[in-house]
Amino acid sequence: MKVMAEHVCWDVAGRRIVDDVELECEPGTITGLLGPNGSGKTSLLHVLAGLRRPSEGRVLVDGDDLHRWSPRRRARVIGMLEQHASTGLELTVREVVELGRIPHRGRWPGRAGEGATAIERAMDIGQVADLADRRWQTLSGGERQRTQLARALAQEPAVLVLDEPTNHLDLGHQIDFLRTVRGLGLTTIAALHDLDLAAAFCDRLVVMDSGRVVAAGPVEEVLTADLVKQVYGVTAQVDRHRDADRLQVVWHA
């Protein structure tokens, strides 16, 4: 599904957090949302996922206004992975993943039929099948992140919204996580901090600063030394890696 934002703004307590954002995410592509802390990435993701209503503008999914949909319809189409997921309930990994079936059944999902198939598939993709009976509170940060990915995939969404999905993962699991997401073929919008990971796995980049989009387009057009200096205040060299077919960012102290 294609996701578009048209002149989206979002205000809180009289302060503009997201300011006149426009973007297009083509079906099956990964759009990386970049920018320093406080640039409005998470707020924009919440608007794009339908969790917050824009103060101005609109979000379109295949041409339909997302914020006119019912919550259940949104949850069937859009899966979101929050940056910090927590629960006080004594849930197992399987029970957390089962929550992803609620938009399809409207109640706590059972384990029979189609729902069970979707749950098992999601756990396999998220690589948490071996953790099925573990309690949420006993999981590491990385295990929780993979469990939340499985929960989102159990929704069988067409659009995946990820807020700093690699924050709690070591390098190997960061690469594996994004490779997994890449292989899903879903329209994906992911807020990322690591510029090298963004260069390796994203089709397009949208860079934010102070709530506004300062650059957007294909990775090689957007990710430049000038942009890194302008947005992050860091002197860097951006070149194509001599062995890998992607850009590499080398920063200088």
Side-chain angles (χ1 to χ4, degrees):
M1 286 185 157
K2 182 173 183 176
V3 178
M4 296 179 61
E6 294 184 339
H7 301 290
V8 165
C9 302
W10 185 70
D11 304 335
V12 59
R15 180 186 173 200
R16 180 140 293 183
I17 306 299
V18 176
D19 189 4
D20 196 30
V21 168
E22 292 194 331
L23 59 80
E24 291 189 23
C25 306
E26 294 294 334
T29 63
I30 298 181
T31 299
L33 191 59
L34 307 181
N37 292 334
S39 60
K41 300 188 300 297
T42 294
S43 296
L44 176 60
L45 287 181
H46 284 176
V47 173
L48 295 176
L51 302 180
R52 293 172 176 167
R53 183 174 294 274
S55 304
E56 298 177 23
R58 59 182 185 163
V59 177
L60 302 178
V61 178
D62 274 359
D64 288 340
D65 189 334
L66 172 67
H67 291 88
R68 293 184 177 179
W69 292 5
S70 68
R72 180 178 294 183
R73 183 183 178 190
R74 286 200 305 267
R76 287 177 175 176
V77 173
I78 299 176
M80 182 163 187
L81 180 61
E82 296 273 15
Q83 184 176 356
H84 302 290
S86 62
T87 178
L89 299 176
E90 287 287 332
L91 299 179
T92 66
V93 166
R94 181 182 294 276
E95 288 169 339
V96 171
V97 177
E98 286 176 348
L99 295 174
R101 299 305 302 168
I102 289 177
H104 298 273
R105 294 195 172 189
R107 57 184 175 83
W108 189 276
R111 299 185 184 180
E114 178 273 335
T117 300
I119 290 165
E120 296 301 330
R121 179 175 180 271
M123 292 178 68
D124 286 340
I125 294 173
Q127 300 179 29
V128 295
D130 60 330
L131 305 177
D133 297 321
R134 286 269 304 275
R135 294 286 174 181
W136 172 262
Q137 285 79 5
T138 70
L139 301 179
S140 69
E143 290 168 339
R144 291 185 179 191
Q145 204 75 336
R146 287 187 281 127
T147 299
Q148 286 300 320
L149 175 63
R151 187 266 312 153
L153 294 180
Q155 295 173 226
E156 298 183 295
V159 178
L160 201 56
V161 178
L162 309 175
D163 189 8
E164 305 290 356
T166 59
N167 262 11
H168 304 291
L169 304 178
D170 59 48
L171 179 58
H173 284 102
Q174 288 177 355
I175 294 169
D176 189 55
F177 185 98
L178 291 175
R179 185 181 289 125
T180 297
V181 169
R182 178 91 218 173
L184 296 172
L186 302 177
T187 305
T188 301
I189 309 164
L192 298 167
H193 270 307
D194 191 303
L195 302 183
D196 285 318
L197 289 176
F201 291 100
C202 296
D203 299 291
R204 293 176 62 85
L205 299 177
V206 174
V207 185
M208 296 185 68
D209 194 14
S210 301
R212 299 183 65 88
V213 173
V214 296
V219 172
E220 295 212 9
E221 293 181 11
V222 172
L223 191 56
T224 65
D226 287 343
L227 178 123
V228 175
K229 181 66 174 178
Q230 172 192 345
V231 174
Y232 296 96
V234 174
T235 300
Q237 184 176 346
V238 182
D239 292 307
R240 181 161 291 280
H241 194 284
R242 65 180 183 180
D243 297 319
D245 187 25
R246 57 179 169 79
L247 295 181
Q248 179 184 40
V249 179
V250 179
W251 54 269
H252 305 282

Short mmCIF file of all heavy atoms in Angstrom, two decimals, residues 70-100:
data_model
loop_
_atom_site.label_atom_id
_atom_site.label_comp_id
_atom_site.label_asym_id
_atom_site.label_seq_id
_atom_site.Cartn_x
_atom_site.Cartn_y
_atom_site.Cartn_z
N SER A 70 -11.88 3.31 11.09
CA SER A 70 -12.09 2.85 12.46
C SER A 70 -10.77 2.33 13.02
O SER A 70 -9.87 1.93 12.27
CB SER A 70 -13.12 1.71 12.48
OG SER A 70 -12.57 0.55 11.86
N PRO A 71 -10.61 2.33 14.35
CA PRO A 71 -9.37 1.80 14.93
C PRO A 71 -9.09 0.36 14.50
O PRO A 71 -7.94 -0.02 14.28
CB PRO A 71 -9.63 1.90 16.44
CG PRO A 71 -10.58 3.04 16.57
CD PRO A 71 -11.48 2.94 15.36
N ARG A 72 -10.15 -0.46 14.38
CA ARG A 72 -9.93 -1.84 13.99
C ARG A 72 -9.41 -1.93 12.55
O ARG A 72 -8.49 -2.71 12.27
CB ARG A 72 -11.21 -2.66 14.12
CG ARG A 72 -11.02 -4.12 13.72
CD ARG A 72 -12.26 -4.95 13.90
NE ARG A 72 -12.60 -5.07 15.31
CZ ARG A 72 -13.62 -5.80 15.75
NH1 ARG A 72 -14.39 -6.45 14.90
NH2 ARG A 72 -13.86 -5.88 17.04
N ARG A 73 -9.96 -1.14 11.67
CA ARG A 73 -9.48 -1.17 10.29
C ARG A 73 -8.02 -0.72 10.21
O ARG A 73 -7.22 -1.32 9.50
CB ARG A 73 -10.35 -0.27 9.40
CG ARG A 73 -9.94 -0.32 7.92
CD ARG A 73 -10.78 0.63 7.08
NE ARG A 73 -10.33 0.60 5.69
CZ ARG A 73 -10.75 1.46 4.77
NH1 ARG A 73 -11.63 2.41 5.08
NH2 ARG A 73 -10.29 1.38 3.53
N ARG A 74 -7.69 0.33 10.95
CA ARG A 74 -6.29 0.79 10.96
C ARG A 74 -5.37 -0.32 11.45
O ARG A 74 -4.29 -0.54 10.90
CB ARG A 74 -6.14 2.03 11.84
CG ARG A 74 -6.70 3.29 11.26
CD ARG A 74 -6.11 4.53 11.92
NE ARG A 74 -6.27 4.54 13.35
CZ ARG A 74 -7.28 5.11 14.00
NH1 ARG A 74 -8.26 5.69 13.32
NH2 ARG A 74 -7.34 5.09 15.32
N ALA A 75 -5.79 -1.01 12.51
CA ALA A 75 -4.93 -2.04 13.10
C ALA A 75 -4.79 -3.25 12.19
O ALA A 75 -3.82 -4.01 12.32
CB ALA A 75 -5.49 -2.47 14.46
N ARG A 76 -5.73 -3.45 11.30
CA ARG A 76 -5.60 -4.55 10.34
C ARG A 76 -4.62 -4.21 9.22
O ARG A 76 -4.10 -5.12 8.57
CB ARG A 76 -6.97 -4.88 9.74
CG ARG A 76 -7.91 -5.59 10.69
CD ARG A 76 -9.26 -5.81 10.06
NE ARG A 76 -10.14 -6.60 10.92
CZ ARG A 76 -11.40 -6.88 10.62
NH1 ARG A 76 -11.93 -6.43 9.49
NH2 ARG A 76 -12.13 -7.61 11.45
N VAL A 77 -4.42 -2.93 8.98
CA VAL A 77 -3.57 -2.50 7.87
C VAL A 77 -2.18 -2.07 8.33
O VAL A 77 -1.19 -2.32 7.64
CB VAL A 77 -4.26 -1.34 7.10
CG1 VAL A 77 -3.33 -0.75 6.05
CG2 VAL A 77 -5.55 -1.83 6.45
N ILE A 78 -2.10 -1.44 9.51
CA ILE A 78 -0.84 -0.85 9.97
C ILE A 78 -0.38 -1.53 11.26
O ILE A 78 -1.11 -1.56 12.26
CB ILE A 78 -1.01 0.67 10.21
CG1 ILE A 78 -1.41 1.36 8.91
CG2 ILE A 78 0.30 1.26 10.75
CD1 ILE A 78 -1.69 2.84 9.07
N GLY A 79 0.83 -2.06 11.23
CA GLY A 79 1.45 -2.61 12.42
C GLY A 79 2.54 -1.66 12.89
O GLY A 79 3.33 -1.18 12.09
N MET A 80 2.56 -1.37 14.19
CA MET A 80 3.55 -0.42 14.71
C MET A 80 4.40 -1.06 15.79
O MET A 80 3.89 -1.75 16.68
CB MET A 80 2.89 0.84 15.27
CG MET A 80 3.92 1.85 15.78
SD MET A 80 3.29 3.51 15.98
CE MET A 80 4.85 4.37 16.36
N LEU A 81 5.68 -0.80 15.71
CA LEU A 81 6.63 -1.24 16.72
C LEU A 81 7.15 -0.01 17.44
O LEU A 81 7.86 0.81 16.86
CB LEU A 81 7.78 -2.00 16.06
CG LEU A 81 8.88 -2.54 16.98
CD1 LEU A 81 8.30 -3.53 17.96
CD2 LEU A 81 9.97 -3.22 16.15
N GLU A 82 6.75 0.14 18.71
CA GLU A 82 7.15 1.32 19.49
C GLU A 82 8.61 1.19 19.93
O GLU A 82 9.15 0.09 20.04
CB GLU A 82 6.25 1.45 20.72
CG GLU A 82 4.79 1.71 20.39
CD GLU A 82 4.47 3.17 20.22
OE1 GLU A 82 5.41 3.98 20.08
OE2 GLU A 82 3.28 3.51 20.23
N GLN A 83 9.20 2.33 20.26
CA GLN A 83 10.58 2.33 20.72
C GLN A 83 10.71 1.67 22.08
O GLN A 83 11.64 0.91 22.33
CB GLN A 83 11.09 3.77 20.78
CG GLN A 83 12.56 3.88 21.16
CD GLN A 83 13.04 5.32 21.10
OE1 GLN A 83 12.32 6.23 20.72
NE2 GLN A 83 14.28 5.54 21.49
N HIS A 84 9.77 1.96 22.98
CA HIS A 84 9.81 1.38 24.33
C HIS A 84 8.47 0.70 24.60
O HIS A 84 7.47 1.37 24.84
CB HIS A 84 10.06 2.46 25.39
CG HIS A 84 11.32 3.23 25.18
ND1 HIS A 84 12.57 2.68 25.35
CD2 HIS A 84 11.53 4.52 24.78
CE1 HIS A 84 13.50 3.58 25.08
NE2 HIS A 84 12.90 4.70 24.73
N ALA A 85 8.47 -0.62 24.55
CA ALA A 85 7.25 -1.38 24.82
C ALA A 85 7.34 -2.00 26.20
O ALA A 85 8.37 -2.56 26.57
CB ALA A 85 7.06 -2.47 23.76
N SER A 86 6.26 -1.90 26.97
CA SER A 86 6.28 -2.48 28.32
C SER A 86 4.87 -2.90 28.70
O SER A 86 3.88 -2.44 28.12
CB SER A 86 6.81 -1.47 29.34
OG SER A 86 5.96 -0.34 29.40
N THR A 87 4.79 -3.79 29.65
CA THR A 87 3.50 -4.21 30.19
C THR A 87 3.71 -4.68 31.63
O THR A 87 4.76 -5.23 31.96
CB THR A 87 2.89 -5.36 29.36
OG1 THR A 87 1.65 -5.75 29.97
CG2 THR A 87 3.80 -6.56 29.28
N GLY A 88 2.72 -4.42 32.44
CA GLY A 88 2.77 -4.90 33.81
C GLY A 88 2.12 -6.26 33.97
O GLY A 88 2.14 -6.84 35.06
N LEU A 89 1.53 -6.76 32.89
CA LEU A 89 0.86 -8.05 32.94
C LEU A 89 1.86 -9.19 32.86
O LEU A 89 2.92 -9.06 32.23
CB LEU A 89 -0.14 -8.17 31.78
CG LEU A 89 -1.28 -7.14 31.75
CD1 LEU A 89 -2.12 -7.33 30.50
CD2 LEU A 89 -2.13 -7.24 33.01
N GLU A 90 1.52 -10.31 33.47
CA GLU A 90 2.38 -11.49 33.44
C GLU A 90 2.08 -12.29 32.17
O GLU A 90 1.43 -13.33 32.21
CB GLU A 90 2.15 -12.33 34.68
CG GLU A 90 2.73 -11.72 35.95
CD GLU A 90 4.26 -11.81 35.98
OE1 GLU A 90 4.82 -12.74 35.37
OE2 GLU A 90 4.88 -10.95 36.62
N LEU A 91 2.58 -11.79 31.03
CA LEU A 91 2.31 -12.42 29.75
C LEU A 91 3.52 -13.21 29.27
O LEU A 91 4.66 -12.81 29.50
CB LEU A 91 1.95 -11.38 28.69
CG LEU A 91 0.72 -10.51 28.94
CD1 LEU A 91 0.54 -9.53 27.80
CD2 LEU A 91 -0.52 -11.37 29.13
N THR A 92 3.25 -14.30 28.59
CA THR A 92 4.32 -15.02 27.90
C THR A 92 4.55 -14.39 26.54
O THR A 92 3.73 -13.58 26.05
CB THR A 92 3.96 -16.50 27.71
OG1 THR A 92 2.83 -16.59 26.82
CG2 THR A 92 3.64 -17.16 29.03
N VAL A 93 5.64 -14.78 25.91
CA VAL A 93 5.93 -14.29 24.56
C VAL A 93 4.78 -14.64 23.62
O VAL A 93 4.33 -13.79 22.82
CB VAL A 93 7.26 -14.86 24.05
CG1 VAL A 93 7.42 -14.65 22.56
CG2 VAL A 93 8.43 -14.23 24.81
N ARG A 94 4.30 -15.86 23.69
CA ARG A 94 3.20 -16.26 22.81
C ARG A 94 1.97 -15.38 23.04
O ARG A 94 1.31 -14.95 22.08
CB ARG A 94 2.82 -17.72 23.03
CG ARG A 94 1.68 -18.20 22.14
CD ARG A 94 1.30 -19.64 22.41
NE ARG A 94 2.38 -20.53 22.05
CZ ARG A 94 2.59 -20.99 20.81
NH1 ARG A 94 1.81 -20.59 19.83
NH2 ARG A 94 3.59 -21.81 20.57
N GLU A 95 1.67 -15.08 24.30
CA GLU A 95 0.49 -14.26 24.58
C GLU A 95 0.66 -12.84 24.07
O GLU A 95 -0.31 -12.21 23.60
CB GLU A 95 0.21 -14.26 26.09
CG GLU A 95 -0.33 -15.60 26.58
CD GLU A 95 -0.36 -15.71 28.09
OE1 GLU A 95 0.40 -14.96 28.77
OE2 GLU A 95 -1.12 -16.55 28.61
N VAL A 96 1.89 -12.31 24.13
CA VAL A 96 2.13 -10.98 23.56
C VAL A 96 1.89 -11.01 22.05
O VAL A 96 1.24 -10.12 21.50
CB VAL A 96 3.56 -10.51 23.88
CG1 VAL A 96 3.89 -9.23 23.10
CG2 VAL A 96 3.74 -10.27 25.37
N VAL A 97 2.41 -12.02 21.38
CA VAL A 97 2.24 -12.12 19.93
C VAL A 97 0.77 -12.30 19.58
O VAL A 97 0.28 -11.73 18.59
CB VAL A 97 3.08 -13.27 19.36
CG1 VAL A 97 2.86 -13.42 17.86
CG2 VAL A 97 4.57 -13.03 19.65
N GLU A 98 0.03 -13.04 20.40
CA GLU A 98 -1.39 -13.26 20.15
C GLU A 98 -2.19 -11.96 20.17
O GLU A 98 -3.25 -11.86 19.53
CB GLU A 98 -1.96 -14.21 21.19
CG GLU A 98 -1.55 -15.66 20.99
CD GLU A 98 -2.06 -16.57 22.10
OE1 GLU A 98 -2.52 -16.05 23.13
OE2 GLU A 98 -1.99 -17.80 21.93
N LEU A 99 -1.69 -10.95 20.87
CA LEU A 99 -2.38 -9.66 20.89
C LEU A 99 -2.54 -9.08 19.49
O LEU A 99 -3.46 -8.31 19.23
CB LEU A 99 -1.63 -8.67 21.78
CG LEU A 99 -1.56 -9.00 23.28
CD1 LEU A 99 -0.67 -8.01 24.00
CD2 LEU A 99 -2.94 -9.03 23.89
N GLY A 100 -1.62 -9.44 18.60
CA GLY A 100 -1.70 -8.95 17.22
C GLY A 100 -2.92 -9.44 16.47
O GLY A 100 -3.28 -8.87 15.43
#
